[in-house]
Every structure is written in C-alpha cells, then in structure tokens.
Amino acid sequence: MFNVKLALKYFLKKPISWLATLAVAISVFVVLVVMTVMHGLVVDYINKTHATVGDVIVYSDSLVGFPYYDRLLGEIDKQNFVEAASPVIKSFAMLSVAGGNRGLGVNLVGIEASSYNQVTEFKSSLYRKIDNDKIFTPYFDSKKSGCIRGILIMNSKNYQGKFTHNPLIFEKLILTCFPLSYKGTLLKAASGIVDSKSYYVANDSDTGLASVDSSTIYIPFTDAQMLCGMDSTIKRASAIYIKIKQGESLGECVDKISQLVQRMKEQNENDKFSMLLRNVRVEDWKTYKRESIAPMEKEQAMLTALFLLIALVTVFVIFVVFFMLVHHKLRDIGILRSVGISVFKINGLFLLFATMIAIAGTTIGALGGWFFLRYINNLEGWLFREFGWQLWNRTIYDIGEIPHDIQTEVLCVIIICSLVASLLGAFFPVFNVSRRDPVKLLSVDQ
Amino acid sequence: MSKVLLQTKSLSKSYKMGATRLKVLNEIDIAVKYGEFVTIVGASGSGKSTLLHLLGALDKPDSGKVLFQEEDLSKLSSSALNRYRNSKVGFVFQFYHLINELNVLENILMPAMAYCSAIQWLRVGGKYKKKAMELIEKLGLQDRAKHKPYQLSGGERQRVAIGRALINSPALLLADEPTGNLDWSRGQEILSIFSQLHQQGQTIVMVTHDQRVAQKADRSIVLSDGRITE
Ligand SMILES: Nc1ncnc2c1ncn2[C@@H]1O[C@H](COP(=O)(O)OP(=O)(O)OP(=O)(O)O)[C@@H](O)[C@H]1O
Ligand SMILES: [Mg+2]
C-alpha cells in the first residue's frame, strides 16, 4: 500500500524516472525496428530463393544433363510424399534482339509449364497474369513461339522499385545455343539440329531476385532440350525440381529420393550412358542454393551477434540508469530504514518502481516501434521525395518495400529481455544498498 | 525512583581513518528514566550524534550494549530491530530528512502506513489520519498539510519531522540538534514543543550545544573526548 504509493510518486514526480523510461523505450524501439527490418529482409530473400526451385532437387552439374529422367520422374511422381515434380533444362544461351544488340549471355531454362508451376511459384512471378497452358503464347500472335524473360533483362527499376517502363512484350528475341552430344562434344548445326531460334516475348518474370531476373530466359522444355542437344541419341534433362507434401520431413524425403536415384544408377550401371548418371545428385533447396543463401545466412548470424552486442549495451544502459536512480535515492532509503521499514519492503518498493518504468518504457518503445514500422515505407518515400535519399536504393536492392511485419516471437523476446534487464538493473543496486546501516545512507549529501 | 527506560553499558564506537582508529565513544554508561528530559551537550565532534544514532539503532557499536526496557538491542532480530526503530523510538534529525515526494500529512503518516498492508490500512488508517491531523494542529501546521517539504521553511520542516517521530507514540523521542539549523525564535518554537511533550510525560533525549536549551532539561550529559564528564 505504502510501497505502491511511494513508487507511484517516484515514478510520476521525478524527471529522472521519465528519463529512465525514455532510455528503456528507445532501447526497445531500436532493437524492435532493426530486428524486424533485418529479419524481414533475410527471410524474404530466402523465401524468394526457395520459391524458384521447389523443395528437393535432383540434378546433374554437367551441361550435358542426365538420361532416364522421364523414368525417374515417373518413379518420383508415384511417391506418396511428393506433391509434384517437374523436369528442367538449364544451360546457357546467347541472346540477340532482332534489330538490336547482339550476344548477351543468358541462363536458359527450359520448363514444362504446368508441372513447373506446381513445384515453384513461377506463375506468381509473371508480370502479365495468364493461364498455365498459354504461358508461352505471345500476347499479340498466338501462333508464334514465345519465351518468358527475366524482367531485369532490358529493363530496370526506379526508386520505388517499379519498372522504368512497361515490359516490351512485343519484342522478338533470338536465342543461340551450343548443343552438346551425350559425350559432351559440340553438335554441328549441319547435322540438322537447330541451334538458333526466334521467340517473341510472351511475358516477364519478376521473382524478386535480381541475380535471377537479370539473367534468365525461360522457354518450353522441349525447345530447350532441342536447342541444347539434349534430345540427341538419348533424351536428357538437367534437373528435376520436386515439391513435397506439407508436413513431410525434408531430410527424409531427400533420403528417399536419393534411394530412387541410387537404384536408377545401379540398374543402368553397365550401359554406355552410365557415366552421365554418376554426376546426378539429390539435395534439398537450401543445399542446392547454398551459394546464394549462405552469405545471407552468414549475414544474419553476424547481425544476430551484433544484436547480442547491442542488446548487451542496452541491458547495460538500463542497468546504469537504475543504478543511478537508486543512488539518487540513497537518502530516502536511509530515511525509510530509520523509521523501521524492512530491507525487504524497500527492495520491493524499488522493484515496483523499476517495474513501472520497465512497463511504461517497454510499452512506449514497442508502440513507437510498431507505429514507426507501420509508416516506415511512407517515411522512406517522403525522405526520397524531399531529400533524394533512400535507405535501400531500389535500383540496386531487390525489395518492394521495407519489411515491417513485427514477428511475435521477436517482440516477446524483446519485451521479456527489457523487463528482466530493468528488474535486474534495479535489484542489484537496491539489494546492495538497502542493507547498509541507516546512518551511512543518511550521511550522503542529497 | 522511577524505572530506567534506556541504558548503555560500556558503549564504544570508533571510525577507521586510514591506518589509525578514531575513537569517538569510549565506554559510555548512561541511563535515561521514564519521563526524563535529558540533553547531551558537548563540543562539535565530541560524538553526540554518534551516541544518539546508537541509541536509535541506526548504527552498531563496536562494543558495549544499549538496553531498552532491559532488552539488549544487539540481540534483536532484524524485524524486531525494525519494530524498535518504527514504534519504540522516534528520531528527529538535524537535517529533517523528509521525503520530498510526500506531502506533510504523508510524511507524518509514513512510519504508520509502512507497517500496514492495504487491508489493515483500511481498518486503522482513519485512526492514524485523525492522530496525524491532531499532531499537525499541535505543531501549528494546519495550513500546510498538503504542502511538499520544499514548500516549507526550515522550522516547519523540523515540525513535520517531529510529527513523524511521534505518530507511533514512541516511548522515547531522540532529537539531534533539532534547532541547529533554525534562527533563535524558530528554535524557541521547537523547544517549547519539546517542553510541552516533556510535560505530557514524553521521555526525551536531545543533542544540543546550546547551553540555554540544556537548562530546560532535567539533566545534561556532557560529552568530551568520547567520555562523559557531567
Ligand atoms: N562515518 C564516519 N567516518 C569517520 N569518522 C566519522 C564518521 N562519522 C563521524 N565521524 C567522526 O566522529 C566524530 C564524532 O562525530 P559526531 O557526528 O558524533 O560529532 P557531533 O558531536 O555530533 O558533532 P556536531 O556537534 O558537529 O554535530 C567526528 O570527529 C567525526 O569526524
Ligand atoms: Mg552532530
């Protein structure tokens, strides 16, 4: 009763407690905002990467590809943990624009539209929304062959992350490939295999990953197979992307598919294509994309470490604030002790006081963070309009808007840490001081 | 011959000053009887405050003991010691030592309130409030009940401190130069309060170095060099 009353008075009447509240609030605010944004960026990048390849990938890192993929695909499709699987051709091509520049090197990806769309989120990356079966149909002439172009090829983004011009879907592109025999030698064009083909741009793909969107051309699977020579002697593919059913363990699925691949390798051990099978691997999406994910994850680990440091500093600041607060009140503690109030009650009084500051500070900080994150994109836009300054330059960084969804777990951890830090920060100095003889406390000049 | 309320036995206290020890109190033996008004006088630095702090259990002696109603303070548990400070003695400091966040009434009520839970306070709060208002009236602070310490003069603050010391009706009132910081007429006001209390039977031990004050008391104890010279 008395405790509550005095704690409340301390809390409401003292500028130093407002300062302490502010210190707690700022700490909570900063940690919440930066954690949310950074976490959002990393998670967004990893999700986008995942969205381009499915869950499990069977692939050969040879440009020649691997045979019997259709049989393997049949086996994989029969597995009850598999949602969908899609064969993919991956190679390189030279891109020329009819009447324009020549010889742009691109990644060529051959896909089977319907299964590919089941495995990946490719369809939602398309700039012009369209049905599966018309995915490669040029907009203005359905009889011509069409391709899908990474949206950053021949296009760029403005500061808002919008494309500088509408994609030119009437453009005609010429793709030139280097078809390879199953032995890995170049096939001659004279042998009757087409190595060059024209396409009209049917659509643009905006996966949100700059490295993909600036270098990839998608064409129908069979076209790619032909252009790359993968239909010569024996039909081949570069990879099979697999989506597993929800709730299945990724690791177990990789193991099971590995067994299928192993069996296929054994069955064909003695035929002349067996060496092509030797390069075939099975990996989950994280391993398959580790080259692009690992740096991001490294960055996240580093950020987490940095944040531990910031959190440590924050806890220290809170500790110091409470230490000063308690020492600011030494005389009062002496007075309370001299009229016979127990150490226990005095500790309780200050812990209550600290709790008030902690709760007020944390609430203000969290609300402030929430409000700031809610308007962070407006703020960034305003800064750009007024001062031409952009936090993440959208012509370089591949983010639509700054992430601003507060993670509940992150919020809870921050709140708990802030409360604990405040209470510990108050407890140690109070505990240390309140046991002294009253005379020692009263003799301080305050 | 009335009974002894408070007694010290070979009470000694020293402070460490670097390598040497400064002996402030040297085997002090005093006795205070019920209803007595005793002053402790002596030169500055003679150990008056130190002695009073030991009597009020605000500090611990190096050796010797303080007996209050024949109980040795050093043998009390910490909660009994708290109770002693809270309701057996009332302490008036030279520098008032009020809590700035609380107003006059709250400062006076503080020792009573701190010993009650919220529920107990509902029961006894009214009684204490009435008593506090009586004290406020007696101390001439009627118009000041809602004021904060910083809005009061030194004499008024000292009166609040006296009110706080009296709220739990202690058997013994200890005062350390209660007029030390006040001008003569303010000091007189405070002293007349003490005289009145004494007349009503309050046992008082007061530190002072004003000889005129000492004359009003039943008896003076003179301290010099850590000893009683009487
Ligand atoms: N905490 C301490 N540490 C060291 N020495 C102290 C301490 N407290 C008091 N002293 C010393 O003890 C001696 C007695 O101090 P005390 O305060 O009891 O004197 P006093 O008689 O009350 O003086 P005054 O009339 O000036 O108030 C002084 O010499 C003082 O310097
Ligand atoms: Mg003194």
Side-chain angles (χ1 to χ4, degrees):
Chain A
M1 157 77 180
F2 171 74
N3 276 1
V4 179
K5 192 169 176 150
L6 190 55
L8 256 177
K9 297 219 173 200
Y10 279 169
F11 177 58
L12 295 174
K13 300 279 160 68
K14 281 279 152 188
I16 192 166
S17 40
W18 306 339
L19 283 180
T21 306
L22 198 64
V24 175
I26 290 173
S27 308
V28 168
F29 175 88
V30 168
V31 175
L32 180 61
V33 168
V34 180
M35 284 294 245
T36 301
V37 171
M38 282 313 183
H39 182 79
L41 287 179
V42 171
V43 166
D44 182 59
Y45 179 83
I46 290 177
N47 284 346
K48 280 174 177 167
T49 303
H50 185 187
T52 60
V53 291
D55 302 314
V56 181
I57 296 94
V58 178
Y59 73 102
S60 156
D61 47 16
S62 155
L63 279 177
V64 177
F66 65 93
Y68 312 127
Y69 69 90
D70 35 6
R71 251 164 53 202
L72 183 61
L73 199 61
E75 294 272 329
I76 290 171
D77 269 332
K78 272 189 259 165
Q79 305 301 311
N80 54 13
F81 58 86
V82 170
E83 172 99 35
S86 180
V88 178
I89 304 275
K90 300 185 84 179
S91 186
F92 300 101
M94 220 163 67
L95 171 74
S96 315
V97 181
N101 62 347
R102 322 212 129 246
L104 189 67
V106 293
N107 292 318
L108 187 71
V109 175
I111 58 174
E112 256 180 30
S114 64
S115 62
Y116 192 73
N117 281 334
Q118 279 178 285
V119 174
T120 70
E121 319 248 315
F122 184 65
K123 198 172 163 187
S124 61
S125 82
L126 294 181
Y127 196 79
R128 198 159 61 87
K129 299 299 161 205
I130 204 153
D131 291 340
N132 268 353
D133 52 339
K134 298 209 187 89
I135 203 167
F136 285 115
T137 310
Y139 183 55
F140 72 101
D141 184 352
S142 56
K143 302 211 171 44
K144 297 275 191 326
S145 26
C147 69
I148 296 169
R149 177 178 58 178
I151 200 155
L152 289 175
I153 299 177
M154 303 148 81
N155 202 344
S156 56
K157 287 182 177 180
N158 68 6
Y159 77 94
Q160 287 172 315
K162 302 258 159 59
F163 293 97
T164 45
H165 57 83
N166 246 351
L168 297 173
I169 50 178
F170 308 109
E171 226 154 350
K172 187 177 177 186
L173 306 176
I174 299 149
L175 287 174
T176 306
C177 280
F178 313 98
L180 296 174
S181 73
Y182 77 93
K183 287 177 174 153
T185 55
L186 271 177
L187 286 168
K188 295 262 162 45
S191 67
I193 290 169
V194 181
D195 68 343
S196 195
K197 192 168 174 183
S198 307
Y199 290 92
Y200 286 91
V201 176
N203 214 330
D204 284 88
S205 163
D206 178 14
T207 63
L209 297 169
S211 57
V212 173
D213 294 340
S214 63
S215 71
T216 313
I217 297 281
Y218 305 83
I219 57 174
F221 183 81
T222 43
D223 280 22
Q225 204 170 34
M226 183 175 68
L227 278 170
C228 298
M230 291 202 202
D231 63 344
S232 71
T233 319
I234 181 155
K235 283 192 190 277
R236 287 163 273 141
S238 309
I240 298 172
Y241 291 176
I242 301 152
K243 181 177 180 146
I244 61 174
K245 288 207 171 112
Q246 207 148 28
E248 297 287 345
S249 137
L250 191 58
E252 280 172 28
C253 295
V254 169
D255 287 346
K256 285 179 194 156
I257 292 168
S258 297
Q259 284 163 20
L260 292 180
V261 170
Q262 188 54 36
R263 207 175 323 140
M264 187 184 75
K265 284 179 181 174
E266 281 159 13
Q267 281 166 2
N268 300 289
E269 212 164 11
N270 300 320
D271 76 20
K272 61 176 178 172
F273 307 115
S274 64
M275 77 229 234
L276 291 182
L277 287 172
R278 255 173 243 150
N279 298 326
V280 177
R281 283 186 220 153
V282 182
E283 283 171 358
D284 63 41
W285 63 275
K286 275 187 187 156
T287 319
Y288 182 65
K289 281 287 179 186
R290 65 188 169 272
E291 273 173 31
S292 45
I293 292 176
M296 256 344 236
E297 282 186 333
K298 187 107 206 151
E299 211 164 302
Q300 196 182 23
M302 244 165 66
L303 265 176
T304 310
L306 279 178
F307 261 87
L308 280 180
L309 284 182
I310 293 183
L312 221 65
V313 172
T314 307
V315 168
F316 184 70
V317 166
I318 293 178
F319 188 87
V320 168
V321 164
F322 279 101
F323 189 86
M324 286 165 66
L325 211 58
V326 167
H327 279 253
H328 185 75
K329 289 269 162 242
L330 283 186
R331 201 190 57 128
D332 281 16
I333 296 175
I335 296 170
L336 298 173
R337 292 274 282 126
S338 77
V339 301
I341 297 173
S342 66
V343 170
F344 184 77
K345 270 202 173 163
I346 292 174
N347 290 348
L349 162 72
F350 276 84
L351 287 190
L352 201 63
F353 178 34
T355 309
M356 289 176 187
I357 288 176
I359 290 177
T362 307
T363 310
I364 293 171
L367 284 179
W370 172 80
F371 187 79
F372 182 78
L373 285 168
R374 195 184 146 105
Y375 291 105
I376 191 169
N377 286 292
N378 306 39
L379 186 70
E380 202 207 23
W382 177 80
L383 280 176
F384 187 79
R385 281 193 308 278
E386 296 295 319
F387 305 105
W389 182 78
Q390 199 168 31
L391 197 58
W392 276 281
N393 189 329
R394 295 299 192 286
T395 58
I396 301 169
Y397 287 94
D398 215 9
I399 50 175
E401 46 180 16
I402 304 173
H404 54 269
D405 287 330
I406 295 177
Q407 241 59 29
T408 320
E409 315 92 74
V410 172
L411 183 65
C412 290
V413 169
I414 292 175
I415 288 176
I416 291 170
C417 287
S418 155
L419 295 180
V420 170
S422 304
L423 288 183
L424 286 184
F427 182 74
F428 283 109
V430 161
F431 182 74
N432 194 14
V433 152
S434 59
R435 288 174 306 164
R436 293 187 196 163
D437 285 327
V439 163
K440 295 211 182 75
L441 296 165
L442 287 169
S443 62
V444 294
D445 266 336
Q446 271 175 354
Chain B
M1 192 75 187
S2 60
K3 266 174 65 187
V4 171
L5 172 64
L6 176 90
Q7 200 174 2
T8 66
K9 294 236 166 102
S10 314
L11 202 61
S12 297
K13 176 82 182 174
S14 59
Y15 292 109
K16 223 180 155 153
M17 300 295 280
T20 62
R21 289 194 82 86
L22 176 71
K23 220 161 170 69
V24 179
L25 297 177
N26 199 357
E27 313 222 325
I28 300 284
D29 291 296
I30 59 169
V32 178
K33 293 186 191 122
Y34 279 95
E36 247 190 326
F37 183 0
V38 178
T39 56
I40 300 173
V41 292
S44 181
S46 57
K48 307 183 294 291
S49 297
T50 307
L51 176 58
L52 207 65
H53 290 149
L54 293 177
L55 300 184
L58 303 182
D59 206 354
K60 293 191 193 81
D62 297 344
S63 63
K65 48 191 169 184
V66 179
L67 300 172
F68 183 86
Q69 292 171 337
E70 287 164 9
E71 253 191 309
D72 185 351
L73 294 190
S74 65
K75 299 260 160 56
L76 295 182
S77 67
S78 61
S79 70
L81 211 53
N82 283 331
R83 197 153 271 290
Y84 174 75
R85 292 180 188 128
N86 182 257
S87 37
K88 303 279 176 65
V89 297
F91 209 109
V92 180
F93 299 95
Q94 182 175 357
F95 299 101
Y96 331 125
H97 288 327
L98 303 176
I99 289 184
N100 292 328
E101 285 79 4
L102 301 179
N103 66 27
V104 167
L105 178 63
E106 290 162 339
N107 262 295
I108 291 177
L109 278 175
M110 191 252 284
M113 224 169 157
Y115 257 78
C116 292
S117 67
I119 294 163
Q120 285 173 316
W121 190 249
L122 282 180
R123 207 151 41 75
V124 297
K127 190 184 89 191
Y128 277 113
K129 268 186 199 148
K130 193 160 155 274
K131 176 151 190 212
M133 289 315 293
E134 279 167 23
L135 280 171
I136 284 175
E137 194 132 344
K138 200 155 135 194
L139 296 165
L141 293 166
Q142 302 87 311
D143 315 329
R144 298 273 183 270
K146 296 284 169 197
H147 285 52
K148 293 283 166 61
Y150 66 88
Q151 296 166 316
L152 303 177
S153 73
E156 287 164 340
R157 289 184 210 190
Q158 195 59 286
R159 283 182 266 162
V160 178
I162 295 172
R164 181 182 63 193
L166 293 174
I167 186 74
N168 281 334
S169 316
L172 177 64
L173 183 61
L174 301 173
D176 190 354
E177 298 194 43
T179 59
N181 277 324
L182 306 175
D183 63 32
W184 191 80
S185 67
R186 298 279 172 208
Q188 274 326 97
E189 283 173 33
I190 298 292
L191 286 175
S192 69
I193 293 171
F194 277 91
S195 294
Q196 262 179 42
L197 288 168
H198 173 49
Q199 274 154 29
Q200 289 159 12
Q202 178 72 52
T203 313
I204 301 171
V205 175
M206 184 195 287
V207 166
T208 181
H209 48 223
D210 187 338
Q211 213 50 51
R212 283 172 307 184
V213 176
Q215 277 159 15
K216 291 199 172 174
D218 298 335
R219 182 157 68 88
S220 281
I221 295 169
V222 182
L223 266 187
S224 78
D225 286 335
R227 288 179 184 279
I228 297 169
T229 54
E230 213 94 31

